[in-house]
Amino acid sequence: MQMLDKFPMEGGQKDPKQRIIPFLPGKILFRRSHIRDVAVKRLIPIDEYCKALIQLPPYISQCEEVLQFFETRPDDLSPPKE
């Protein structure tokens, strides 16, 4: 949402045909027993989103919001065992 606010033209707010910012795959509701199944189903759409995002022009692909999105967090390096 921050990127769409920051880049309204590229987000298609004025003209949907001009949108170059990819759509983030929607959330999927699930029960606790289905966490892994949902994660596996979302791998391909999220991978495609990430690839499309980094292929945008540098003023978008290297903006602070994108850099924060891809920033490594402590849990990424040592994920919980559960």
Side-chain angles (χ1 to χ4, degrees), residues 3 21-22 48-57 60-62 65-66 69-70:
M3 288 182 49
I21 295 176
E48 290 171 353
Y49 172 79
C50 291
K51 287 177 180 176
L53 194 59
I54 61 173
Q55 290 177 354
L56 291 173
I60 299 175
S61 65
Q62 296 174 23
E65 291 79 4
V66 173
F69 181 78
F70 286 108

Side-chain angles (χ1 to χ4, degrees), residues 4-22:
L4 297 177
D5 290 340
K6 187 171 185 172
F7 305 107
M9 174 103 51
E10 294 84 345
Q13 291 183 14
K14 297 180 182 184
D15 181 0
K17 293 177 185 176
Q18 302 236 337
R19 183 178 181 133
I20 61 170
I21 295 176

Side-chain angles (χ1 to χ4, degrees), residues 7-76:
F7 305 107
M9 174 103 51
E10 294 84 345
Q13 291 183 14
K14 297 180 182 184
D15 181 0
K17 293 177 185 176
Q18 302 236 337
R19 183 178 181 133
I20 61 170
I21 295 176
F23 288 95
L24 182 63
K27 292 181 180 181
I28 299 174
L29 299 177
F30 55 89
R31 296 189 313 248
R32 289 186 75 57
S33 62
H34 294 107
I35 292 173
R36 180 166 173 70
D37 294 338
V38 170
V40 169
K41 287 179 185 175
R42 293 194 66 182
L43 278 176
I44 292 174
I46 290 176
D47 181 59
E48 290 171 353
Y49 172 79
C50 291
K51 287 177 180 176
L53 194 59
I54 61 173
Q55 290 177 354
L56 291 173
Y59 73 95
I60 299 175
S61 65
Q62 296 174 23
C63 74
E64 187 63 31
E65 291 79 4
V66 173
L67 296 177
Q68 285 178 359
F69 181 78
F70 286 108
E71 187 175 297
T72 304
R73 297 182 180 164
D75 284 353
D76 296 332

